[in-house]
Amino acid sequence: MADLFAGIEPAPSPAAPAEDAPLADRLRPATLTEVVGQEHLTGPDGTIGRMVAAGRLSSMILWGPPGTGKTTIARLLADAVDLRFTAISAVFSGVADLKKAFAEARDHAKTGKRTLLFVDEIHRFNRAQQDGFLPYVEDGTVTLVGATTENPSFELNAALLSRAQVLILQRLDRDALEQLIARAEAVEARPLPLTPPARDALVASADGDGRFLLNQVETLFSVDIAAPLEPAELSSFLQRRVAVYDKDREGHYNLISALHKSIRGSDPQAALYYLARMLTAGEEPLYLLRRLTRAAVEDIGLADPQALVQCIAAKDTYDFLGSPEGELAIVQACLYLATAPKSNATYMAQKKAWRSAKETGSLMPPANILNAPTKLMKQIGYGAGYEYDHDAEGGFSGANYWPDELPPQVYYEPTERGFEKRLAERLAYWDERRGR
């Protein structure tokens, strides 16, 4: 047993927790160097490492997924530069709590003790409450360290962001999660009752969340397991972490962007993965169908006109069958789009034509194609000289259809991919006849 844990030391805590304290508390790091997975920030060359070495902290926003060490880092920062630490949660606090925290910080400042104010879930404060931080951050009453799982660009005031650095914490990778398991095994002085494949499955199930992993490890240690568990046995014994996904927040927009760009990049496997991520997380299927339809007309267009047909058929099928059966139609449409030839010629043509229409204002069409329902209109030249194409040789008159003040423009330029290659041949044929 001693050989198994040679060289592995549990992370100590500034104030030793009780023996029956939760495992996560017993493993809480005592110094920044013991924080796993965030070395890009806490290392000697990281932003936090450099600030600590200089002995001066600037206000900051710690942005990252749950269970990546935001609260732990904030506590250790206060210890590292000898600041008084006080914490509030935006979930449970209001204006009165903020005023009290600022008043206490000001009183301590008079005795020479500065305050690090840690605000958990800072994005939950409204705009007015966020503005309330500004004078106290500016005059140095507090060094603000906010923690958020949401994109600060969307959730925090620009004025507050301009006074604080945004530091991005990464989801814990495999190595970091393995370090946490090793520390837990050292504290418990016994290995986890898992086979190597089950251990891999446990790490994967945490989805980058260290706190969730340690809770799972604690559960395994709390029961008497006679023989190491295999992956299937582990799966029935523990619950897998539910993926982080808020349908109206950044995770939603990141995944839909990844889905659309995987389709555009003709990677059906990646596209199917992101589609599955969203559907299994509870995304509205009709939202996904709308985005697939957008991809059909923006990124495929006339290179494969059937792409749009597939999307509309998938929507009708889903309306008819519902979930889960109708989701297969969504998968089919997704795979069709990802494997189809790509062209944004229709999309670019729309942008050019819309811009031209706005710039040219109210130009009249040429007189030969104006409607002439009255005798007066015919007398002043409406419709004069119009050639009925079906009566022309080959069903093509070659007449001019552009306003007199606007020379013929080229908006749609088909590619040489898919069905558009045939369209390019048709356009070349009409252009040749028109030139003749």
Side-chain angles (χ1 to χ4, degrees):
M1 185 68 71
D3 290 339
L4 178 63
F5 300 110
I8 299 177
E9 294 295 334
S13 174
E19 290 185 4
D20 60 349
L23 182 60
D25 285 343
R26 287 183 280 151
L27 292 177
R28 193 176 296 279
T31 66
L32 286 167
T33 58
E34 295 167 0
V35 176
V36 299
Q38 310 303 338
E39 290 79 9
H40 64 292
L41 296 177
T42 60
D45 297 326
T47 304
I48 289 176
R50 291 197 302 269
M51 285 193 288
V52 169
R56 292 182 61 85
L57 292 184
S58 61
S59 291
M60 65 186 76
I61 304 296
L62 302 177
W63 171 31
T68 52
K70 296 184 290 293
T71 304
T72 295
I73 288 175
R75 289 184 180 277
L76 296 175
L77 277 173
D79 292 338
V81 295
D82 193 28
L83 293 180
R84 169 179 169 267
F85 179 84
T86 187
I88 61 174
S89 170
V91 177
F92 302 109
S93 303
V95 173
D97 302 289
L98 289 175
K99 288 181 177 179
K100 180 181 178 182
F102 293 139
E104 291 177 351
R106 184 159 285 167
D107 290 340
H108 281 277
K110 294 175 182 177
T111 66
K113 190 70 170 179
R114 297 288 179 180
T115 296
L116 185 153
L117 175 61
F118 175 65
V119 183
D120 197 17
E121 303 287 346
I122 191 172
H123 62 276
R124 293 185 180 272
F125 277 133
N126 61 38
R127 301 288 175 171
Q129 290 170 321
Q130 291 177 29
D131 284 340
F133 287 98
L134 300 180
Y136 302 99
V137 171
E138 286 180 340
D139 67 13
T141 299
V142 298
T143 297
L144 174 66
V145 177
T148 179
T149 56
E150 303 297 335
N151 190 329
S153 300
F154 302 141
E155 304 297 335
L156 299 183
N157 285 358
L160 185 57
L161 286 177
S162 70
R163 292 162 174 81
Q165 293 191 61
V166 176
L167 304 183
I168 302 174
L169 279 72
Q170 300 170 349
R171 68 191 297 275
L172 300 189
D173 61 18
R174 179 186 180 83
D175 289 342
L177 294 171
E178 286 282 7
Q179 287 184 57
L180 292 180
I181 293 178
R183 291 180 181 179
E185 289 174 323
V187 164
E188 294 289 332
R190 55 190 170 121
L192 274 175
L194 302 175
T195 63
R199 190 184 183 99
D200 292 340
L202 176 66
V203 170
S205 73
D207 194 25
D209 186 331
R211 182 168 50 243
F212 179 86
L213 176 70
L214 290 177
N215 289 339
Q216 300 285 68
V217 168
E218 187 168 30
T219 300
L220 288 168
F221 277 138
S222 68
V223 296
D224 185 19
I225 299 175
L229 300 178
E230 295 290 348
E233 297 169 316
L234 175 69
S235 178
S236 63
F237 185 77
L238 294 177
Q239 293 296 315
R240 188 178 185 89
R241 180 180 183 274
V242 177
V244 176
Y245 185 77
D246 292 318
K247 288 194 285 184
D248 62 345
R249 298 188 184 275
E250 193 198 14
H252 162 87
Y253 295 108
N254 284 344
L255 288 181
I256 197 63
S257 175
L259 171 62
H260 194 144
K261 288 170 182 171
S262 298
I263 290 172
R264 182 181 295 151
S266 300
D267 190 333
Q269 316 302 345
L272 188 55
Y273 168 72
Y274 291 117
L275 180 72
R277 284 273 301 273
M278 299 187 79
L279 280 174
T280 57
E283 182 56 76
E284 174 58 50
L286 290 177
Y287 169 79
L288 290 168
L289 282 164
R290 286 194 292 271
R291 190 57 175 248
L292 292 179
T293 305
R294 169 69 186 193
V297 293
E298 178 181 341
D299 296 296
I300 298 168
L302 291 173
D304 187 347
Q306 280 297 313
L308 180 57
V309 176
Q310 285 281 333
C311 289
I312 300 304
K315 184 263 182 188
D316 289 343
T317 302
Y318 183 80
D319 282 344
F320 187 50
L321 295 179
S323 289
E325 293 87 352
E327 291 173 9
L328 186 57
I330 304 177
V331 169
Q332 178 174 314
C334 175
L335 293 175
Y336 191 98
L337 299 186
T339 55
K342 303 301 186 296
S343 170
N344 71 342
T346 299
Y347 175 65
M348 298 305 295
Q350 182 205 24
K351 292 173 72 70
K352 292 176 185 177
W354 263 235
R355 182 168 56 249
S356 184
K358 292 176 181 178
E359 292 173 351
T360 56
S362 305
L363 296 182
M364 284 283 286
N368 62 307
I369 59 172
L370 293 179
N371 187 35
T374 68
K375 182 176 181 181
L376 174 62
M377 296 169 79
K378 291 178 180 178
Q379 289 175 346
I380 61 176
Y382 279 36
Y386 173 64
E387 299 180 63
Y388 187 57
D389 284 80
H390 294 290
D391 291 340
E393 181 183 352
F396 179 75
S397 67
N400 174 55
Y401 299 100
W402 291 89
D404 294 335
E405 301 90 339
L406 183 66
Q409 304 290 304
V410 176
Y411 302 130
Y412 176 57
E413 301 179 74
T415 69
E416 291 295 313
R417 297 183 290 277
F419 183 69
E420 280 196 322
K421 184 173 183 179
R422 294 177 58 186
L423 295 182
E425 294 170 355
R426 293 179 185 177
L427 289 177
Y429 171 77
W430 300 128
D431 286 343
E432 181 187 3
R433 296 224 26 210
R434 189 173 288 109
R436 246 190 278 159

